[in-house]
Amino acid sequence: MKVLSEISEIRRFFNQEEMHGKSIGFIPTMGALHEGHLSLVRQSIAENDITACSIFVNPAQFNNPDDLKKYPRDLNADLSLLEELKCDLVFHPSPEIMYPSQSITSFSFGYLEEIMEGKFRPGHFKGVALVVSKLLNILTPDKAYFGEKDLQQLTIIQTMSKELNIPVEIISVPTMRESDGLAMSSRNLRLNSQERISAADIYRALYKAKSELNDGKSVNTVKESVKDFFNDNSQIELEYFEVVRTSDLKEVSKLEAGEKVSLCIAGYLGKVRLIDNLSLI
Ligand code: AMP
């Protein structure tokens, strides 16, 4: 497995004659890899000749400096996991390589960056889009893999690559969960043992909301019931709970037959922010 940190080295790697005609799968990550990330890598390995993964904690997408500072990092452990899976290439650039000067290019995603994550993390998706577009231009993959865990990010990247005619297929991969339902996340490493137990409330609330909607309760009633759940029974401070149309993340007030809907949630457990979503067919 090659581990490279310079953009010119990546270009040279893909310009080698033996690379010509080979399909490239790419997984952008911020490291502190877990089974969720690895499921994206496994899928890429199964579907492409060459799999490349990036590990870069992107300063441009953190609106909270403390969150950036405390973001878990363990490069050696990440590299061993990727090596074991037989990933072909890891791109691990420094912030100076990715941002040699202050970027003045800026993306705008209209309503998509004003709702849910965009509302509570202003500028977050501009930073995500900037780094992902750079990485797609550097690695030129045929397919890039993103987790459904970050549904709004997935929707924004799909929209961006379609609108900019980036020649890449965006592949969405289902969320991997711990046995109690908690969505795997690098941020889970920051939870203490008591918080780790409480963290599963996020999934419990989603599951309960899904059952209630399937039982015919109205969207408004279910939203109230989710608020009550967190007020009455949980250590988690709810930030938002939204019921949205999966195709464009527009809020829905009533379920329509045949329309795929997603239940999206974010909350704080102590200082750790957790997000998750569950789909309702
Ligand atoms: P991150 O390192 O958090 O930027 O995540 C890198 C990629 O892994 C993103 O596309 C995430 O959506 C995806 N991912 C993170 N957690 C999970 C999970 N539990 N299951 C599936 N994909 C995930």
Side-chain angles (χ1 to χ4, degrees):
M1 183 175 78
K2 276 259 184 235
V3 183
L4 304 176
S5 56
E6 299 281 342
I7 295 169
S8 56
E9 293 175 317
I10 297 286
R11 301 232 195 270
R12 231 175 292 132
F13 179 88
F14 286 117
N15 276 334
Q16 296 173 96
E17 206 169 322
E18 69 223 55
M19 289 295 155
H20 291 172
K22 293 208 166 150
S23 59
I24 306 165
F26 172 52
I27 305 96
T29 81
M30 297 205 298
L33 301 182
H34 50 66
E35 272 302 314
H37 297 111
L38 299 186
S39 69
L40 276 64
V41 178
R42 284 198 188 92
Q43 190 167 336
S44 171
I45 289 175
E47 294 179 355
N48 301 280
D49 299 324
I50 301 287
T51 288
C53 192
S54 63
I55 299 177
F56 178 62
V57 182
N58 175 33
Q61 73 187 66
F62 285 82
N63 51 323
N64 175 349
D66 194 48
D67 193 22
L68 171 61
K69 200 169 109 210
K70 300 221 170 102
Y71 199 84
R73 291 164 170 91
D74 192 346
L75 182 64
N76 288 336
D78 291 347
L79 294 179
S80 323
L81 289 168
L82 292 173
E83 177 106 61
E84 218 173 289
L85 290 190
K86 300 205 174 355
C87 176
D88 300 285
L89 172 67
V90 177
F91 181 42
H92 174 59
S94 65
E96 292 72 29
I97 296 256
M98 290 304 281
Y99 301 107
S101 57
Q102 176 78 40
S103 302
I104 55 170
T105 304
S106 177
F107 288 88
S108 170
F109 298 103
Y111 77 94
L112 270 181
E113 63 174 336
E114 281 156 19
I115 55 171
M116 302 194 290
E117 290 303 285
K119 181 167 164 193
F120 290 96
R121 301 184 70 190
H124 170 66
F125 289 119
K126 291 187 192 300
V128 169
L130 188 61
V131 81
V132 171
S133 57
K134 279 168 168 278
L135 291 168
L136 293 177
N137 281 328
I138 295 166
L139 289 121
T140 62
D142 299 283
K143 294 182 178 168
Y145 296 79
F146 291 85
E148 287 169 7
K149 152 102 185 347
D150 299 286
L151 182 65
Q152 197 170 357
Q153 166 174 286
L154 172 66
T155 309
I156 283 182
I157 298 300
Q158 274 165 339
T159 307
M160 177 188 78
S161 53
K162 187 168 161 226
E163 291 189 0
L164 295 182
N165 302 96
I166 302 178
V168 65
E169 190 184 341
I170 303 299
I171 309 283
S172 63
V173 182
T175 303
M176 293 284 284
R177 300 181 177 282
E178 303 286 356
S179 53
D180 61 357
L182 175 67
M184 291 180 182
S185 164
S186 308
R187 287 193 168 83
N188 297 350
L189 291 171
R190 291 178 53 200
L191 300 170
N192 65 34
S193 52
Q194 183 51 48
E195 288 169 340
R196 171 60 195 84
I197 294 169
S198 305
D201 284 349
I202 290 268
Y203 180 72
R204 281 186 206 112
L206 283 178
Y207 193 82
K208 183 168 175 285
K210 178 171 170 165
S211 312
E212 289 175 1
L213 286 168
N214 281 335
D215 287 347
K217 288 200 179 156
S218 75
V219 168
N220 272 341
T221 307
V222 171
K223 282 185 171 177
E224 286 310 311
S225 143
V226 168
K227 277 188 206 151
D228 292 344
F229 175 90
F230 286 103
N231 282 337
D232 300 345
N233 305 313
S234 180
Q235 266 187 273
I236 293 176
E237 202 182 310
L238 179 67
E239 194 167 59
Y240 67 77
F241 169 76
E242 298 291 354
V243 181
V244 299
R245 193 158 61 192
T246 309
S247 58
D248 58 7
L249 307 190
K250 293 246 163 129
E251 236 182 272
V252 301
S253 51
K254 195 169 171 287
L255 302 186
E256 302 289 344
E259 191 169 75
K260 196 171 166 194
V261 153
S262 293
L263 316 183
C264 301
I265 195 165
Y268 274 93
L269 190 47
K271 292 206 154 127
V272 183
R273 188 169 182 278
L274 300 169
I275 66 168
D276 200 354
N277 67 84
L278 209 54
S279 75
L280 195 80
I281 312 283

